[in-house]
Amino acid sequence: MTATTLPRGDSATEPDPPHDEPAGAPPTREGRRPAATAGRALGLGVVGLWLSVIVLLPLAALTVRSFDEGVGGFWDAVTAPVALAALGVTLGVSAVVALLNAVMGTLVAWVLVRDDFPGQRVVNALIDLPFALPTIVASIVLLSLYGPNSPVGIHLNATRWALVVALTFVTLPFVVRSVQPVLIELDREVEEAAASLGASNLTTFRRVVLPTLAPAVISGTGLAFARAVGEYGSVVLIGGNIPRETQVVSQYIQQQIEIDRPANAAAVSVALLAVSFLTLFVLRVWAGRNQRKEARSS
Amino acid sequence: MISVTDARKTYGDFVALDGVSIDIPSGSLTALLGPSGSGKSTLLRSIAGLEGLDGGVVSIAGVDVTHQPPQKRGIGFVFQHYAAFKHMTVRDNVAFGLTIRKRPKAEVRKKVDDLLEIVGLDGFQHRYPSQLSGGQRQRMALARALAVDPQVLLLDEPFGALDAKVRADLRRWLRRLHDEVHVTTVLVTHDQEEALDVADRIAVLNQGRIEQVGDPVSLYEKPANDFVMSFLGSVARLGGQLVRPHDIVLERDRAAAFEADARTPGSPGVVTATVERVVRLGFEVRVELRADSGERFAAQVTRAEADRQQFGPGETVHARATRPADATEVDPALAI
């Protein structure tokens, strides 16, 4: 057997991996030319200013406002039973919607990429419609379809199912659009290799395809979840706005504004913000770790 | 033995396989050689079951597998672009076929380590494919394919994505590996040098048909037709016939050329030509010539011969072939 054994670490005689694959660590900042420094400083400045004005400032203002009545006031506002119930409904329904999206969105992306059927391009274009549509329109559509005068005999008005349906509708594109490009790039030969090694289609999907898709599925699901948590327009008509039943946080906030309790509204908003931020942050860290695992430098 | 009978496959209007029949003996290393679009990859993929046939029969070791999925054919397949499982370590890649068969962990571990030693990747167990060079990735893919003890090993342009030096090293290594492992191996390539270097049998394909099957020497020495001749090795056209450049003799003396040519029955005759350029390629010297008819060709002579005759550009020489390259003079057993 020794006759065929090549010397170890013979990378000297072999080329570097092709550059289309992640190879080793990214170039270090110190390695850049000094001429680029000024440009980079300018770029950083512009981005910093822009993010401050658009994102940080309003969020800071909101946070300050939420503590108008002190820490105790903040705590009371957030832990008021109706507020907690609204938070619970929102998070629960959003979690269900996110999971639905993870499964169905992946399936839709799969069919759109892998199958050939008439009208495929139209269907592909339709995916983005919930994005483009004003969400209130979605609510009207759902109300006329599943409302009290439902032509199909399904009455979801003012139930949690209505929330699920409405939120699933508006969050449809997230998983589909994040999984699609990854599926297109996915090397079919990898699946063929698994098949040639004896793996059934299910095993191939579970052990080869899914791990490749997972980061995209998770990031799409996270975005869908964050969007569902903050959604207002699509649930406003069909949701029913019943406190402790179907009232979502955004509706609760709206209600607090209407009864002139802006500090309460701000406090609950901050709680909502924290949840959204935490979701996105956890996903980012998770995705980053996964990427490093794949491209760990030698 | 792999046996393919009257395989047919079309993609729309394109005929990929036009009634291909071939027997591949057990333990051989057979190269399917042909230009792109000749159907060689389709043939390999239909042996693997990755491609369904429109007609014909594929059998492996006497079992008709035409309608079997690749999972059940007992094959190992190596792809040009490695098809590595990028999210798995080298060890997990090689172990894949064994772990899905639920073999005991200790057995898997031992087998994987043995294979990694054979392919020279010992110590790379915990790396990811992205941390390997192209040649290393392909050796990992080979180990992965061998791990399941395949009846046949199928390689689709396995060295096509590598640079010349690595390619030459790897194919000689593959040859040695084959001499040890003896698994029936089919290799697809468009590189005639690779086929001549590594294979003990070559099937030349063109436009979905097999032109000729045989061992490298008979294909080179006795090509069934002009296509095989020009695809396997270089050719020159002398007096309307295809000859090997190294079979051309150049003489300054016209009479001597004619006298020698008269002793070679069936030769293309003596062609008077002007030397255009003399290129020294180490041991060989290539003399580029233009015949009086205007046709350009090149002769390959030894350095000693070139030194003796001192050819220079603009000089007139008389070219003859030492033997006829008669495409019809072929052992019928070799032609298909």
Side-chain angles (χ1 to χ4, degrees):
Chain A
M1 292 235 161
T2 44
T4 55
T5 305
L6 284 180
R8 277 192 213 179
D10 50 341
S11 49
T13 61
E14 296 184 17
D16 287 334
H19 60 265
D20 58 345
E21 284 153 275
T28 54
R29 291 185 178 182
E30 292 74 24
R32 301 259 176 83
R33 285 169 295 122
T37 315
R40 209 173 68 232
L42 185 68
L44 262 177
V46 169
V47 169
L49 186 69
W50 177 250
L51 289 182
S52 303
V53 171
I54 297 293
V55 183
L56 285 181
L57 212 58
L59 293 188
L62 178 72
T63 309
V64 168
R65 188 96 173 94
S66 68
F67 286 99
D68 266 2
E69 288 166 21
V71 177
F74 176 87
W75 188 247
D76 288 345
V78 175
T79 53
V82 179
L84 273 183
L87 269 171
V89 168
T90 306
L91 295 180
V93 169
S94 298
V96 170
V97 166
L99 285 178
L100 259 178
N101 265 303
V103 177
M104 295 311 293
T106 306
L107 197 66
V108 170
W110 184 274
V111 169
L112 282 177
V113 172
R114 287 297 171 86
D115 288 348
D116 239 347
F117 57 91
Q120 191 168 19
R121 295 163 72 103
V122 178
V123 174
N124 194 19
L126 273 179
I127 301 290
D128 288 326
L129 211 56
F131 257 144
L133 215 61
T135 47
I136 189 78
V137 175
S139 210
I140 293 172
V141 169
L142 294 173
L143 190 65
S144 55
L145 189 59
Y146 303 125
N149 303 316
S150 169
V152 290
I154 301 171
H155 304 284
L156 297 179
N157 193 26
T159 64
R160 287 188 186 168
W161 285 113
L163 299 180
V164 170
V165 171
L167 294 178
T168 306
F169 179 81
V170 294
T171 55
L172 168 75
F174 289 101
V175 173
V176 179
R177 289 302 186 223
S178 60
V179 170
Q180 241 178 341
V182 183
L183 258 182
I184 290 170
E185 287 298 309
L186 194 67
D187 189 359
R188 293 298 285 269
E189 289 188 346
V190 171
E191 288 161 63
E192 292 179 342
S196 75
L197 292 167
S200 66
N201 289 346
L202 187 69
T203 306
T204 302
F205 183 78
R206 209 165 48 83
R207 308 205 40 163
V208 175
V209 178
L210 208 53
T212 314
L213 294 186
V217 174
I218 296 207
S219 96
T221 306
L223 286 172
F225 179 79
R227 169 72 196 267
V229 165
E231 178 58 19
Y232 177 75
S234 61
V235 295
V236 74
L237 295 180
I238 193 157
N241 200 10
I242 303 167
R244 298 177 195 243
E245 284 294 327
T246 63
Q247 187 179 57
V248 295
V249 175
S250 52
Q251 285 173 318
Y252 178 78
I253 292 168
Q254 160 88 7
Q255 199 184 43
Q256 294 301 305
I257 297 282
E258 278 170 357
I259 60 172
D260 203 21
R261 305 287 300 276
N264 277 4
V268 176
S269 302
V270 167
L272 195 59
L273 196 68
V275 170
S276 293
F277 181 75
L278 200 69
T279 311
L280 294 177
F281 183 76
V282 167
L283 286 175
R284 272 238 86 85
V285 170
W286 192 86
R289 220 189 49 197
N290 248 28
Q291 249 164 29
R292 271 200 305 283
K293 198 169 107 186
E294 219 171 87
R296 202 176 300 154
S297 67
S298 45
Chain B
M1 183 165 101
I2 305 168
S3 177
V4 178
T5 314
D6 198 28
R8 291 175 187 281
K9 176 79 181 176
T10 54
Y11 299 101
D13 291 340
F14 178 72
V15 181
L17 294 178
D18 188 7
V20 169
S21 297
I22 185 174
D23 286 337
I24 295 162
S26 293
S28 74
L29 202 172
T30 301
L32 304 178
L33 176 69
S36 55
S38 59
K40 57 190 190 303
S41 274
T42 309
L43 180 57
L44 189 82
R45 291 172 59 84
S46 56
I47 293 172
L50 297 172
E51 211 79 67
L53 288 175
D54 298 338
V57 175
V58 178
S59 69
I60 297 175
V63 181
D64 181 353
V65 295
T66 314
H67 302 290
Q68 297 253 326
Q71 286 91 340
K72 297 197 172 149
R73 293 195 182 194
I75 50 148
F77 203 100
V78 173
F79 298 84
Q80 180 177 1
H81 297 286
Y82 327 125
F85 303 139
K86 289 182 187 163
H87 60 287
M88 294 183 197
T89 60
V90 169
R91 166 172 279 148
D92 291 343
N93 263 277
V94 177
F96 185 83
L98 299 170
T99 38
I100 61 170
R101 283 172 175 75
K102 309 238 188 309
R103 295 277 175 78
K105 276 211 170 108
E107 182 200 321
V108 173
R109 202 179 175 82
K110 167 133 189 16
K111 179 135 201 185
V112 170
D113 285 348
D114 286 352
L115 277 166
L116 286 177
E117 197 183 324
I118 292 175
V119 301
L121 287 176
D122 195 17
F124 288 75
Q125 276 88 337
H126 299 292
R127 298 245 191 135
Y128 284 86
S130 58
Q131 299 166 255
L132 302 180
S133 71
Q136 289 169 334
R137 273 182 234 187
Q138 198 58 300
R139 281 186 273 135
M140 180 193 82
L142 206 56
R144 183 177 69 179
L146 288 171
V148 295
D149 290 324
Q151 297 185 58
V152 292
L153 182 61
L154 307 169
L155 309 142
D156 192 0
E157 302 256 8
F159 312 130
L162 306 168
D163 74 332
K165 170 84 171 71
V166 181
R167 197 156 64 211
D169 287 350
L170 262 189
R171 70 185 182 222
R172 270 160 216 159
W173 172 80
L174 175 71
R175 180 68 235 184
R176 291 198 301 274
L177 180 76
H178 180 263
D179 291 341
E180 284 182 11
V181 183
H182 288 306
V183 58
T184 311
T185 304
V186 186
L187 167 111
V188 158
T189 180
H190 63 265
D191 180 351
Q192 45 102 3
E193 195 188 317
E194 187 167 297
L196 290 170
D197 195 352
V198 77
D200 43 43
R201 275 164 54 89
I202 299 175
V204 180
L205 279 91
N206 184 32
Q207 297 184 338
R209 306 194 69 94
I210 289 188
E211 300 279 357
Q212 192 176 0
V213 184
D215 64 279
V217 174
S218 35
L219 256 67
Y220 190 85
E221 300 291 338
K222 293 178 177 172
N225 52 41
D226 282 359
F227 178 81
V228 175
M229 174 150 188
S230 51
F231 202 78
L232 219 70
S234 50
V235 289
R237 187 171 285 278
L238 192 70
Q241 277 190 29
L242 290 180
V243 296
R244 300 285 183 204
H246 52 71
D247 286 340
I248 296 177
V249 175
L250 302 176
E251 308 262 15
R252 286 177 178 282
D253 182 354
R254 187 167 182 279
F258 272 95
E259 193 188 322
D261 186 56
R263 292 195 297 267
T264 316
S267 79
V270 175
V271 173
T272 303
T274 310
V275 176
E276 290 199 313
R277 187 160 171 252
V278 179
V279 190
R280 287 179 171 261
L281 305 162
F283 172 72
E284 293 161 351
V285 177
R286 189 174 76 230
V287 184
E288 297 176 4
L289 302 137
R290 197 181 71 235
D292 287 352
S293 62
E295 202 168 41
R296 284 192 163 82
F297 64 99
Q300 205 171 310
V301 300
T302 62
R303 201 172 58 185
E305 180 68 10
D307 286 345
R308 188 175 67 77
Q309 301 217 41
Q310 289 292 323
F311 301 116
E315 292 173 354
T316 300
V317 294
H318 306 282
R320 66 182 176 88
T322 51
R323 56 180 178 169
D326 199 344
T328 55
E329 192 195 302
V330 155
D331 180 354
L334 293 173
I336 293 230

